[in-house]
């Protein structure tokens, strides 16, 4: 038994009936059937075709494309404008917020890829910069021992305080320093510790950092040049490779 | 393989068999019991008219065929019901997404990335969402099923049977002789020996259910019940809509996923990486929160309906009623009160209208006439119906009566108008009576008079008016007997035709005082011989009865018409009665004519009438049987006002494929089941009907349907808004990932954050849209066209995704880049930064200022970006929920704060957002960072833009209906 479905609209008399029912009906005349475009560029969400002329639909399709074009240009413009305004509010020398950098990070790996040369000059414009010579790291500088003591089971650990603009480490003019110790189970295995520069202090003359713009890196100045740094090395290696430090 | 094929075949044949059986059932039943003679019948069933069955044989038959009960419909096992909740369209999409997540997680693990559990979390959340919403839906269904279960009337009905020659009351589970629930007739028909109709259901000489005929599931009613359970469940319109929209979502997800898979490959990502991107995009596109939103919205409406006495068994049925364009209503019990009531009286040459209202609140007629007194006396005396004892407390119309429908009506009528009929009858001692039979077509009784001095007998008679008239020589006018001349006969004819034309059952009443001499006291009256005067009687009047429409129905029908819904009446009654009731309740409106009416008016043959001129149409079952489905289609199209008369249950099933069907009897249940939404009556409805229906009107009030329609339409509109709101944020959730892939920026939005947007902050606002009031007078609009007015159409998707969603994305990225830049990462640096940014071993990545960041610092910065993006989406979604309040009219017309739930939802959203941002411990658990207050305000201009843009859109839609703007931007 086939089901019978009857569209009320199609029963022409029903329409009249509705008109008779009074003016309270607020149905707004809408051209139906034009929800799908046979135009190639229209978005094919639904299958179905209408009898309306293709050209008219393409006009509408064109209009809607134009609308989207204008709309996105406007949005992009607004985005660009807000970006521009936002960038204008930024200080060239100091980030607006340093929420994540309250505690500076530390690097513990010697970077052997960036061979540093101690020659060359330091750009002191507009802020003065203090030069950090590799020789300060002595045995761990990589000058005399390119293997940083790893071959002699005396590995160097280079500790670097990450650069953070405006950071002044230490309290009351006392320079921050590093002391190293072994983990409990490794106490016996660890040998004598050596600090370069001695006492394991970070020299306060390197602080604060004024940023890339104020203290641009020189052409021949390598990595870590303007940060303070120190190296620790021990006589005997701990049981595990030093990476696990 | 071969085995599988074999299985398939076996299944198919089984299905075919079932189908055949069902087809067989749909065919008319082949019973000739009503056509054969009584003797043959007695032989066939081993019974006799006088003595009935012997109790031993009855027991034997009972044992053989089982009790006269319908086998309870096989309930769906609970786990199947639950599984069904987990297997909807959206649910399936989410299962697939969860699987994809597991695969992605596996790939990540296999590649040695042991830290990323995001995909696992996502998969678990997806499954949890499906299961939780499944439980919710299951609970809803379970609750409404319970309500229905409590309705089952457990009181066994008693029946009067002849067993071993004695009249016995036996439990109805052993026998029932009420056809009402079978054919929809308003009375247990008087069963006599004539074959009145070839349709076994309409004929008068067969009592279904009787133990002598067929028992239990082998009765006709049993066949109907199994026919009902055999009819497949039709998909609800909302299910179709959701499927349609899942198609759209899935299609778009695949489209985006594939596009960016290709893009990623092109950029140079590894295949596995591109594969993960593809999966992530597909998952990001799944609107996790939508399922919960739809379920909650529907159950909110179901709850609202339950308060108005509509219990919805199937959540989706809530909306179905809203899209209903045709309501097929069973007449008896739904449109009418299902009790015969005296409607009109004709005496003193006037038609008097009786009060037919259910609560006797209507106007009564002038009762001062002597004729009326005589008529009331005849009606009271010539009546075998009696009230059941112990019912003094009940109002008269509700008292139970033993007797047939007409007599019941007369008894109640006289009890109401005169009062104390029982006592009255006792005072007029009955001497003899001749019960109604179809050859005489009258009933008479002879009584002694109340006055002991008056020794005359009074003969009272009622019956078919023309038969009564034949026997009358005088007529009572204002208490005076006048000779029955041609003039009176003519006015009698007119009155009779008038009342008959109203579809009412007309009875004539007459009496005579028997001559004292001829019939002295003690005279032996013989009811068989009729050895007394039965002619030259005195005509008293006509009383006509009808099963009157319920008081609320005409109004409700009118409202349905205003709402563009056709109400079609389907009944087993005679076409004239059907037409009269239809006209009474407004199904056939005043001034509409049927083809036959036009033919009579124009005095031309029926064939010459242009069928399109006739608004109304009454089709009887015989015609319907012969119609092809195209013809039926044509008829339904041409005549907006339809009545189907004399239809059998099987035919009700044919008509039943039109959207909504209301009914109460077992005979309606196949149609109820087959209809898009079956509505059963809660009080008078049979269990079979309630089982088959999707919705139950607890108060049996047809007007509740109108409420249902209104709520259904409202929820459709509001669901549209909710879905539009929910879909919008999919784009700002997706674009970060796309930009992340193509521009290699640090990831702006993480998947846990997405889940929080989808399942925490945005759920309440999207549900709150269900509380939105209707924008316009929805009850004055046409029902939606299921093929054109989709729940999710192209305009809605495009507007949500590519316009509002785009604005939201821009808001998110503005905020993202601002937060990055203000922390030291300028936009241009961000582009292409991804590889270094995500390098766990790179502890000194330089930002735009030359500062060095460790990996964990960068990670927390990334979380900050997530939070900032989250806040942007939230702020834009507040604007979004405000604009979604209306689709056409201005938000200010609707009242910005009128929807209190929505306002509280916005407050809730903000509070939850703040909690997520600023609660300690959040960064490490849910990747939310306490962000700077300023970043809350960066998206505000975009929110305002959304609001203004939408107001402009609505203005354009209102100002230029039909324009390209309207077509493309009105959803």
């Amino acid at each position: 038994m086939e089901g019978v479905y009857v569209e009320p609209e199609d029963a022409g008399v029903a329409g009249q009936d509705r008109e008779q029912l009074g003016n309270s009906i607020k149905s707004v005349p809408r051209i139906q059937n034009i929800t799908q475009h046979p135009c190639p560029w229209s978005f094919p969400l639904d299958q179905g075709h209408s009898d309306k002329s293709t050209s008219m639909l393409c006009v509408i399709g064109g209009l809607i494309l134009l609308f989207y074009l204008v709309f996105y240009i406007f949005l992009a413009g607004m985005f660009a404008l807000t970006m521009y305004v936002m960038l204008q509010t930024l200080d060239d020398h100091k980030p607006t917020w340093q929420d994540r950098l309250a505690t500076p990070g530390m690097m513990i790996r010697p970077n052997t890829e960036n061979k540093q040369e101690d020659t060359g000059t330091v750009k002191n414009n507009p802020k003065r910069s203090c030069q950090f010579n590799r020789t300060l790291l002595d045995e761990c500088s990589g000058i005399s021992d390119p293997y940083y003591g790893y071959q002699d089971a005396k590995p160097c650990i280079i500790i670097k305080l990450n650069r953070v603009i405006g950071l002044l480490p230490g309290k009351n003019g006392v320079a921050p320093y590093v002391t190293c110790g072994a983990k409990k189970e490794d106490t016996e295995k660890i040998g004598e510790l050596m600090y370069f520069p001695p006492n394991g202090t970070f020299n306060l003359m390197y602080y604060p950092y004024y940023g890339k713009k104020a203290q641009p890196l020189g052409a021949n100045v390598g990595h870590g040049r303007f940060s303070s740094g120190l190296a620790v090395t021990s006589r005997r290696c701990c049981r595990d490779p030093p990476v696990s430090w | 393989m071969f085995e599988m094929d074999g299985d398939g075949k076996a299944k198919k044949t089984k299905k075919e068999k079932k189908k055949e059986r069902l087809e067989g059932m749909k065919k008319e039943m082949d019973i000739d019991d009503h056509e054969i003679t009584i003797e043959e019948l007695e032989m066939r069933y081993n019974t006799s008219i006088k003595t009935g069955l012997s109790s031993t044989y009855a027991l034997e038959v009972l044992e053989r065929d089982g009790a006269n009960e319908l086998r309870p419909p096989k309930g769906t096992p609970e786990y199947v019901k639950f599984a069904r909740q987990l297997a909807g369209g959206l649910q399936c999409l989410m299962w697939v997404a969860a699987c994809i997540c597991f695969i992605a997680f596996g790939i990540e693990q296999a590649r040695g990335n042991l830290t990323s559990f995001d995909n696992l979390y996502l998969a678990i959340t997806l499954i949890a969402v499906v299961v939780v919403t499944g439980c919710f839906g299951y609970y809803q269904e379970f609750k409404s099923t319970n309500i229905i279960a409590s309705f089952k009337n457990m009181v066994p009905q008693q029946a009067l049977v002849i067993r071993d020659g004695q009249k016995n009351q036996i439990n109805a589970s052993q026998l029932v002789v009420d056809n009402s629930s079978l054919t929809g007739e308003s009375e247990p028909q008087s069963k006599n020996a004539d074959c009145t109709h070839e349709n076994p259901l309409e004929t008068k000489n067969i009592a279904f259910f009787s133990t002598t005929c067929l028992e239990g599931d082998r009765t006709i009613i049993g066949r109907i019940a199994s026919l009902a359970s055999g009819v497949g469940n039709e998909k609800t319109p909302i299910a179709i809509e959701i499927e349609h929209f899942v198609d759209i979502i899935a299609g778009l997800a695949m489209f985006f996923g594939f596009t960016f898979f290709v893009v990623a490959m092109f950029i140079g990502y590894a295949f596995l990486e591109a594969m993960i991107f593809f999966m992530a995009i597909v998952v990001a596109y799944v609107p996790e929160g939508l399922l919960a939103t739809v379920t909650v919205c529907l159950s909110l409406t179901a709850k609202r309906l339950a308060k108005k006495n509509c219990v919805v068994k199937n959540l989706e049925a809530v909306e179905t009623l809203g899209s209903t364009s045709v309501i097929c209503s069973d007449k008896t019990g739904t449109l009418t009160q299902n009790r015969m009531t005296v409607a009109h009286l004709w005496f003193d040459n006037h038609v008097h209208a009786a009060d037919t209202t259910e609560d006797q609140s209507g106007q009564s007629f002038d009762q001062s006439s002597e004729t009326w007194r005589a008529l009331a006396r005849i009606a009271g005396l010539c009546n075998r119906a009696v009230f059941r004892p112990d019912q003094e407390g009940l109002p008269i119309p509700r008292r139970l009566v033993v007797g047939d429908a007409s007599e019941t009506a007369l008894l109640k009528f006289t009890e109401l108008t005169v009062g104390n009929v029982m006592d009255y009858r006792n005072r007029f001692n009955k001497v003899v009576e001749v019960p109604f039979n179809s050859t005489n077509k009258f009933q008479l009784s002879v009584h002694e008079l109340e006055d002991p001095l008056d020794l005359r007998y009074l003969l009272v008679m009622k019956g078919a008016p023309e038969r009564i008239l034949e026997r009358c020589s005088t007529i009572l006018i204002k208490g005076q007997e006048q000779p029955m001349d041609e003039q009176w006969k003519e006015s009698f004819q007119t009155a009779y035709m008038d009342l008959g034309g109203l579809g009412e059952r007309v009875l004539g009443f007459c009496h005579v005082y028997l001559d004292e001499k001829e019939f002295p006291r003690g005279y032996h009256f013989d009811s068989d011989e009729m050895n007394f005067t039965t002619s030259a009687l005195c005509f008293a009047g006509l009383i006509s009865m009808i099963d009157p429409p319920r008081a609320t129905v005409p109004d409700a029908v009118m409202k349905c018409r205003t709402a563009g819904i056709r109400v079609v009446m389907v009944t087993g009654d005679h076409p004239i009665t059907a037409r009269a009731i239809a006209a009474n309740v407004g199904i056939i409106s005043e001034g509409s004519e049927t083809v036959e009416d036009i033919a009579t008016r124009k005095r031309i043959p029926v064939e010459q009438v242009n069928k399109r001129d006739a608004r109304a149409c009454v089709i009887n079952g015989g015609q319907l049987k012969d119609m092809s489905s195209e013809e039926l289609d044509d008829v339904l199209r041409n005549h907006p006002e339809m009545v189907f008369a004399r239809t059998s249950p099987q035919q009700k099933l044919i008509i039943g494929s039109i959207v909504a069907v209301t009914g109460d009897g077992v005979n309606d249940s196949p149609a109820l089941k087959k209809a898009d939404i079956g509505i059963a009556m809660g009080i008078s409805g049979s269990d079979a009907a309630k089982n088959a229906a999707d919705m139950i009107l607890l108060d049996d009030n047809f007007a509740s349907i109108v409420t249902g329609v209104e709520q259904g339409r409202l929820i459709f509109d509001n669901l549209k808004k909710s879905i539009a709101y929910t879909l919008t944020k999919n784009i700002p959730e997706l674009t970060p990932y796309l930009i992340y892939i193509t521009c290699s920026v640090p990831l702006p939005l993480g998947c846990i954050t997405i889940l929080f947007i989808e399942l925490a902050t945005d759920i309440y606002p999207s549900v709150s849209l269900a509380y939105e009031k209707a924008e316009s007078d929805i009850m004055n609009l046409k029902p939606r066209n299921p093929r054109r007015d989709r729940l999710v159409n192209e305009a809605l998707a495009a507007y949500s995704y590519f316009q509002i969603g785009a604005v939201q994305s821009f808001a998110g990225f503005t905020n993202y880049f601002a937060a990055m830049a203000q922390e030291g990462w300028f936009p241009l640096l961000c582009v292409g930064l991804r590889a270094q940014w995500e390098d766990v071993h790179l502890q000194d990545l330089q930002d735009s200022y030359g500062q060095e960041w460790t990996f964990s610092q960068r990670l927390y910065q990334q979380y900050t970006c997530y939070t900032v993006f989250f806040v942007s989406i939230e702020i834009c979604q507040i604007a979004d929920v405000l604009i979604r309040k209306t689709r056409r009219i201005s938000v200010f017309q609707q009242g910005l704060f009128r929807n209190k739930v929505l306002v509280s939802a916005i407050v809730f959203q903000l509070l939850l957002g703040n909690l997520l941002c600023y609660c300690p411990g959040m960064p490490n658990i849910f990747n939310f960072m306490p962000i700077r207050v300023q970043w809350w305000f960066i998206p505000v201009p975009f929110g305002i833009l959304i609001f203004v843009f939408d107001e402009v859109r609505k203005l354009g839609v209102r100002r230029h209906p039909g324009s390209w703007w309207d077509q493309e931007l009105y959803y």
Side-chain angles (χ1 to χ4, degrees), chain B residues 422-439:
Chain B
M422 294 302 164
D423 191 43
Y424 193 72
R425 278 190 210 163
N426 288 340
R427 282 184 275 144
F428 289 82
N429 205 5
K430 189 173 358 182
V431 187
V432 72
E433 72 175 353
V434 179
F436 183 86
N437 72 51
S438 55
T439 23

Side-chain angles (χ1 to χ4, degrees), chain B residues 775-900:
Chain B
E775 262 175 76
S776 53
D777 201 345
I778 41 175
M779 288 311 276
N780 281 338
L781 297 174
K782 283 181 192 172
R784 78 184 174 93
N785 180 328
R787 266 171 293 163
R788 281 204 292 262
D789 310 328
R790 311 304 303 252
L791 184 65
V792 174
N793 51 24
E794 193 189 341
L796 185 145
Y799 182 67
S800 299
Y801 280 151
F802 303 123
Q803 294 173 40
I804 303 301
V807 178
Q808 293 195 353
S809 305
F810 275 106
F813 276 105
T814 307
N815 212 357
Y816 163 77
F817 281 121
M820 283 297 270
Q822 292 193 334
E823 293 281 4
W825 304 88
F826 290 179
L828 284 179
L829 181 70
C830 291
V831 175
L833 193 64
R834 191 178 89 94
Q836 287 174 297
W837 182 275
E838 289 180 353
D839 185 352
V840 186
H841 305 300
L842 186 56
Q843 298 292 357
D844 55 352
L845 185 64
Q846 282 192 25
D847 66 13
S848 303
Y849 289 96
Q851 305 184 99
E852 290 165 331
W853 295 59
T854 63
F855 176 74
S856 77
Q857 283 168 343
R858 294 196 303 268
L859 196 61
Y860 281 120
Q861 178 59 26
Q862 193 174 322
Y863 292 166
T864 308
C865 294
Y866 292 178
T867 314
V868 158
F869 217 104
F870 163 80
V871 164
S872 309
I873 295 179
E874 288 312 292
I875 297 290
C876 289
Q877 281 292 79
I878 289 176
D880 196 21
V881 78
L882 285 176
I883 64 166
R884 301 297 184 187
K885 280 166 73 77
T886 59
R887 294 187 295 139
R888 178 184 289 276
I889 64 169
S890 163
V891 170
F892 298 105
Q893 280 170 280
Q894 180 83 343
L896 202 51
F897 302 109
R898 197 174 292 164
N899 185 348
K900 294 285 182 294

Side-chain angles (χ1 to χ4, degrees), chain B residues 477 551 628 639 850:
Chain B
I477 299 295
S628 66
H639 307 286

Side-chain angles (χ1 to χ4, degrees), chain B residues 218 253 337 392 408 416 463 616 744 908 952:
Chain B
R218 284 174 53 212
Q337 303 168 13
E392 276 70 36
T408 305
L416 276 169
S744 295
F908 166 82
V952 171

Side-chain angles (χ1 to χ4, degrees), chain A residues 3-4 7 13 30 35 37 68 72 91 95-100 103 109 160 162-163 165 212, chain B residues 615 633 657 785 787 794 802-803 822-823 841 843-844 846 849-852 857 864 932 966 968:
Chain A
V4 183
E7 276 178 71
V13 212
R30 283 170 58 75
T35 37
H37 322 295
Y68 273 108
Y72 282 118
D91 192 318
T96 320
W97 317 109
Q98 290 175 296
D99 296 325
R100 305 283 89 74
T103 330
R109 273 191 312 168
K160 186 190 75 177
N162 274 354
R163 285 188 305 232
I165 290 174
K212 205 156 74 172
Chain B
R615 286 175 54 74
D633 239 350
S657 55
N785 180 328
R787 266 171 293 163
E794 193 189 341
F802 303 123
Q803 294 173 40
Q822 292 193 334
E823 293 281 4
H841 305 300
Q843 298 292 357
D844 55 352
Q846 282 192 25
Y849 289 96
Q851 305 184 99
E852 290 165 331
Q857 283 168 343
T864 308
R932 298 242 156 219
D966 183 28
E968 294 296 335

